[in-house]
Amino acid sequence: MNIFTKAFWLQLSTPKNFYPIAGKLIPWFLISATLLAVIGLYYSFFVAPVDYQQGNSYRILFIHVPTAWMSMFIYVVMCIYAILGLVLKTRLSDWMALALAPTGAAMTFLALWTGSFWGKPTWGTYWIWDARLTSELILLFLYLGFISLNSAIDDPRRASRASALLALVGIINIPIIYFSVKWWNTLHQGMSVTVDKAPTMATSMFTAMMLLTFAFWLYTIAVALMRVRNIILERESQTAWVQDLVKGKN
Amino acid sequence: MFAVIRSLLWREMTLAIRRRAEVLTTLFFFVIVVSLFPLGVGPEIDTLREIAPGVLWVAALLASMLSLNRLFADDYMDGTLEQMLLASQPLSILVLTKILSHWLLTGLPLVLISPVLGMQLGLDMESLLIMVVTLLLGTPVLSLIGAVGAGLTLGVRGGGVLLALLILPLYVPVLIFGSGAVEAARTGMEIQAHLSLLGIFLVLALVLAPIGAAKALKIALD
């Protein structure tokens, strides 16, 4: 099987072929996510030093920052799938977008929650209406809107196309979240990790953050694949191969 | 092209005049929501003056959203929308005309009546003027963004509530800078940046929203 040919990818994108491959990939993603999470948590609790200003309370940021990154990243990936679904009319792309949304919403919620837990000892408040927090909250609403629009429309084709369009309208929020700490004078601190500069924190802190980011990333892939397998079974329940599968003939 | 726009606009206006109640409902809703606040938070004029920009803007937001359901619903029911889809003019232009008429029938009356309500809440002359300007810039954006949502939720179960869920988050920037400008004017600060941003929103929405709404309608009627 040559993975560089178009035929290979076309074959892969049919639900029937994707279903077993996704099933084989899931354990690998789950195992590596767990491994990275264990190492990352070990780093964040035992290796990373105590912060000289915030004490130990800063350690929740090892969850906060990766989930916040993932909340934005998943939205972008979701939009890419949505565009693919709209342009190429591939059902699998629509389903991938749908499968990613709940995890994206969960990541957004976790980012907000851990952020407010960190804010209480550091800023003295659980919540403040500054640009970064507000735009992240809007991101949560966008995910919820995507999911509800998708479930409100009965015809699955129309549902995925309409929600894809909604996702594309909402993507304007992503740069707003990302640059909000630059554009406005916010209470939320600026970026410590950027592409073009060395991170402004201890190396062990950076390592822990990166390990946990990759752990969340792999976890997201694993969960999205699980969910998309369920969607495939649900939407393809009329086809022969799913009926065979359910009856245990395969 | 312009003949089509003119006749469509004429049709919308005629329909609105024949069904005056709908236009007036939105306006009364706006007035009632604003009037509830002095009753809810107490009649101290200092408090009212402080919350006035936010109250007026949130009420305008809700009032504009209230009428969005009807934007395409009737045309969808009686088949007019399908004819628009088949027309030789681009759908986005027709949609833009419908949005324009929606704004003329719901947005503009709100703008015109807002100084009276602002005065009741104790705003001074300069703040009132700024408020009218921000509403003039902002309410078209609300109609434009709302049209995309109205297209997406067309003929959907529980469309009204869903529309609110989809559209209100997207209204947030307009709300922030609209009420921010009035607030800044009230406290004597610089308002230029707020107005410029509202202008940017208007231009962007004017260009992109009709295309998005047309796409949404095509999906709905597929």
Side-chain angles (χ1 to χ4, degrees):
Chain A
M1 213 163 26
N2 185 358
I3 65 159
F4 294 108
T5 57
K6 195 179 168 189
F8 170 81
W9 291 103
L10 282 179
Q11 245 183 12
L12 185 63
S13 68
T14 58
K16 187 187 172 185
N17 293 327
F18 188 74
Y19 183 84
I21 294 173
K24 283 198 194 85
L25 287 174
I26 288 169
W28 293 103
F29 284 117
L30 270 187
I31 290 167
S32 38
T34 317
L35 271 178
L36 284 177
V38 169
I39 304 170
L41 284 175
Y42 174 78
Y43 256 81
S44 55
F45 277 112
F46 302 107
V47 182
V50 178
D51 190 90
Y52 75 101
Q53 274 181 326
Q54 302 167 20
N56 273 320
S57 71
Y58 88 95
R59 290 189 200 272
I60 200 165
L61 293 186
F62 290 125
I63 303 294
H64 173 71
V65 176
T67 48
W69 279 342
M70 287 310 295
S71 69
M72 291 185 277
F73 179 67
I74 291 174
Y75 196 90
V76 174
V77 176
M78 200 176 90
C79 281
I80 294 173
Y81 278 119
I83 295 171
L84 283 179
L86 275 180
V87 176
L88 301 177
K89 306 212 191 307
T90 42
R91 289 174 304 163
L92 199 57
S93 329
D94 294 337
W95 299 344
M96 274 308 285
L98 185 57
L100 280 166
T103 312
M107 291 289 173
T108 316
F109 178 74
L110 276 178
L112 288 167
W113 192 15
T114 52
S116 80
F117 268 27
W118 176 81
K120 186 62 186 171
T122 319
W123 296 340
T125 173
Y126 283 116
W127 183 262
I128 179 140
W129 291 98
D130 97 285
R132 170 70 54 101
L133 276 68
T134 311
S135 49
E136 182 78 7
L137 185 65
I138 293 174
L139 182 66
L140 181 62
F141 294 151
L142 288 175
Y143 275 122
L144 296 180
F146 181 88
I147 297 168
S148 1
L149 185 61
N150 219 313
S151 57
I153 304 176
D154 289 326
D155 173 23
R157 276 295 308 152
R158 200 195 140 187
S160 37
R161 292 177 66 197
S163 44
L165 187 65
L166 178 73
L168 290 183
V169 174
I171 201 164
I172 189 148
N173 190 35
I174 296 295
I176 296 180
I177 300 177
Y178 189 76
F179 292 112
S180 57
V181 285
K182 265 192 185 174
W183 290 346
W184 288 282
N185 287 321
T186 57
L187 187 56
H188 195 286
Q189 65 202 51
M191 299 174 224
S192 304
V193 184
T194 48
V195 187
D196 51 345
K197 280 191 295 260
T200 54
M201 61 170 115
T203 316
S204 55
M205 291 184 190
F206 181 69
T207 314
M209 211 167 262
M210 278 329 211
L211 283 169
L212 282 170
T213 304
F214 282 108
F216 278 119
W217 192 352
L218 294 169
Y219 161 82
T220 306
I221 298 173
V223 179
L225 287 180
M226 285 179 182
R227 215 171 273 133
V228 88
R229 267 164 62 97
N230 285 339
I231 298 173
I232 290 175
L233 286 187
E234 196 188 327
R235 300 281 165 89
E236 297 276 274
S237 56
Q238 302 304 316
T239 60
W241 72 270
V242 172
Q243 307 224 337
D244 286 350
L245 192 78
V246 174
K247 285 175 197 144
K249 279 184 196 164
N250 265 348
Chain B
M1 178 95 94
F2 286 104
V4 172
I5 293 175
R6 204 178 315 127
S7 66
L8 185 56
L9 209 53
W10 189 249
R11 167 179 177 272
E12 297 289 326
M13 292 302 143
T14 317
L15 281 176
I17 289 167
R18 301 245 167 97
R19 279 180 293 190
R20 255 156 292 179
E22 274 174 35
V23 179
L24 290 176
T25 313
T26 316
L27 199 59
F28 282 135
F29 177 82
F30 179 62
V31 175
I32 288 173
V33 168
V34 174
S35 317
L36 283 179
F37 277 86
L39 306 177
V41 299
E44 292 86 14
I45 200 72
D46 286 333
T47 323
L48 290 179
R49 192 178 295 132
E50 222 161 88
I51 61 169
V55 167
L56 283 162
W57 259 99
V58 170
L61 223 77
L62 294 175
S64 147
M65 206 194 60
L66 195 68
S67 52
L68 275 174
N69 275 331
R70 323 273 308 161
L71 182 54
F72 299 120
D74 291 339
D75 289 351
Y76 179 59
M77 296 291 270
D78 65 11
T80 315
L81 209 55
E82 278 176 28
Q83 298 305 315
M84 288 187 191
L85 215 67
L86 295 172
S88 56
Q89 284 75 19
L91 184 60
S92 52
I93 296 291
L94 301 178
V95 168
L96 183 62
T97 315
K98 278 200 70 80
I99 298 171
L100 177 67
S101 64
H102 175 261
W103 179 74
L104 286 173
L105 294 171
T106 62
L108 194 58
L110 294 192
V111 178
L112 294 178
I113 205 163
S114 64
V116 182
L117 296 171
M119 227 181 291
Q120 281 185 326
L121 296 178
L123 285 179
D124 55 78
M125 264 308 155
E126 203 203 330
S127 313
L128 283 177
L129 184 69
I130 298 301
M131 191 184 65
V132 171
V133 173
T134 57
L135 282 172
L136 265 180
L137 283 171
T139 44
V141 184
L142 301 182
S143 295
L144 284 160
I145 300 175
V148 184
L152 285 174
T153 54
L154 194 59
V156 169
R157 262 180 291 118
V161 185
L162 189 62
L163 179 65
L165 183 65
L166 302 186
I167 286 306
L168 285 179
L170 299 173
Y171 277 177
V172 168
V174 184
L175 172 68
I176 289 176
F177 293 106
S179 60
V182 186
E183 180 64 27
R186 201 179 62 78
T187 50
M189 288 196 308
E190 188 58 48
I191 55 158
Q192 187 72 45
H194 290 98
L195 291 184
S196 306
L197 276 165
L198 280 176
I200 293 172
F201 293 151
L202 180 56
V203 172
L204 277 179
L206 210 52
V207 176
L208 296 175
I211 302 171
K215 180 78 188 159
L217 289 179
K218 276 180 193 154
I219 292 171
L221 290 170
D222 204 9

